[in-house]
Amino acid sequence: CKYCHNRDTWDISGGSYKSLDEIFDKIKRYKNYILPSGGGVTVTGGEPLLQVNFLIELFKKLKEEKISTCIDTSGMVSITEDIKKVLELTDIVLLDIKHIDDDKCKKLVGVSNKKEIEFAKYLSENNIKMWIRQVLVPGYTDSEEDLIKLREFLKTLKTVEKIQILPYHSMGKYKWEKLGTKYELENVKDATQEDVAKAKQILGI
């Protein structure tokens, strides 16, 4: 994404290795807080579904402990048998819709939106709860025409519990600069609360 504020996470060979048991044991230490509070475990990234087999095993263990599971994803993945398995173990999905218009999506994030659209449809058809989120980027994702198109698509989904409009901000720009890469939204202003309110009105939320 041109607006990514976690540019430092793009290197999938970076980071440090943690075993399944290490992570699960750490989660279990918080179980007495998680359960009474009605919370759970959310996996995010980067893109967590790049490590789908790990998630399957982690979520199996969490289910045994009656801990709720959530995936924060772009949905930019093919619906494989492994993806189906992990979604069967997932209580809710936080799904980004990068852009509802396919051509504009390609310009904004470098790839088509077809996989994320199909991902949303799969969640709906399989009764998996989802929250839909879109970053409101002035000049990119805020046109009335596109927001109306998004609204009409979301109406076709049966399991959307919440729609969130996240205002674009440039706070992650320094990470791009630190990595020696060009920040392509240099001249884009941060979205205001008024921008968000207008988008919500168009979406009817």
Side-chain angles (χ1 to χ4, degrees):
C1 301
K2 290 181 178 178
Y3 55 79
C4 182
H5 60 274
N6 287 325
R7 178 64 179 84
D8 49 319
T9 67
W10 287 16
D11 180 6
I12 60 173
S13 63
S16 57
Y17 176 83
K18 299 288 183 184
S19 72
L20 175 63
D21 287 339
E22 281 181 279
I23 292 177
F24 181 64
D25 289 344
K26 188 171 184 179
I27 292 169
K28 276 186 69 176
R29 282 185 240 144
Y30 295 93
K31 182 179 176 181
N32 289 337
Y33 169 76
I34 291 172
L35 295 184
S37 70
V41 171
T42 300
V43 291
T44 183
E47 176 50 62
L49 291 178
L50 292 176
Q51 301 185 63
V52 62
N53 292 319
F54 176 87
L55 291 187
I56 290 170
E57 297 308 313
L58 175 63
F59 280 15
K60 283 178 181 177
K61 286 178 168 287
L62 293 174
K63 286 297 182 183
E64 289 171 2
E65 297 291 331
K66 298 182 169 45
I67 296 175
S68 178
T69 56
C70 174
I71 294 176
D72 180 354
T73 179
S74 68
M76 295 278 194
V77 295
S78 300
I79 307 292
T80 63
E81 289 305 310
D82 285 336
I83 293 294
K84 290 178 182 179
K85 282 179 191 174
V86 78
L87 290 176
E88 287 173 6
L89 298 164
T90 304
D91 294 307
I92 190 164
V93 174
L94 310 182
L95 177 63
D96 292 338
I97 299 291
K98 301 297 186 183
H99 204 301
I100 194 63
D101 182 278
D102 192 37
D103 288 334
K104 292 177 183 178
C105 186
K106 289 173 187 173
K107 291 175 184 175
L108 185 62
V109 303
V111 292
S112 167
N113 70 3
K114 286 184 170 54
K115 285 186 176 180
E116 66 183 8
I117 295 299
E118 289 306 312
F119 194 90
K121 290 177 181 177
Y122 181 85
L123 296 178
S124 177
E125 291 163 3
N126 289 275
N127 203 34
I128 300 167
K129 297 175 186 176
M130 64 182 122
W131 291 8
I132 297 291
R133 302 182 304 176
Q134 184 170 81
V135 177
L136 193 71
V137 186
Y140 285 83
T141 62
D142 63 341
S143 80
E144 183 172 356
E145 177 187 1
D146 290 327
L147 289 167
I148 289 172
K149 190 175 177 182
L150 176 62
R151 181 186 71 200
E152 295 310 303
F153 171 66
L154 296 181
K155 282 182 180 177
T156 69
L157 304 175
K158 301 178 292 185
T159 58
V160 176
E161 291 198 332
K162 185 182 288 190
I163 301 168
Q164 295 178 307
I165 295 296
L166 309 176
Y168 161 77
H169 60 76
S170 54
M171 289 186 285
K173 176 185 168 185
Y174 78 94
K175 293 183 180 179
W176 292 70
E177 294 171 344
K178 191 174 180 180
L179 291 165
T181 52
K182 181 183 177 184
Y183 188 69
E184 295 190 45
L185 302 187
E186 181 72 48
N187 298 314
V188 175
K189 70 179 183 68
D190 288 8
T192 65
Q193 288 306 309
E194 290 76 15
D195 294 331
V196 172
K198 181 181 176 182
K200 285 183 175 180
Q201 185 178 29
I202 294 169
L203 289 170
I205 58 175

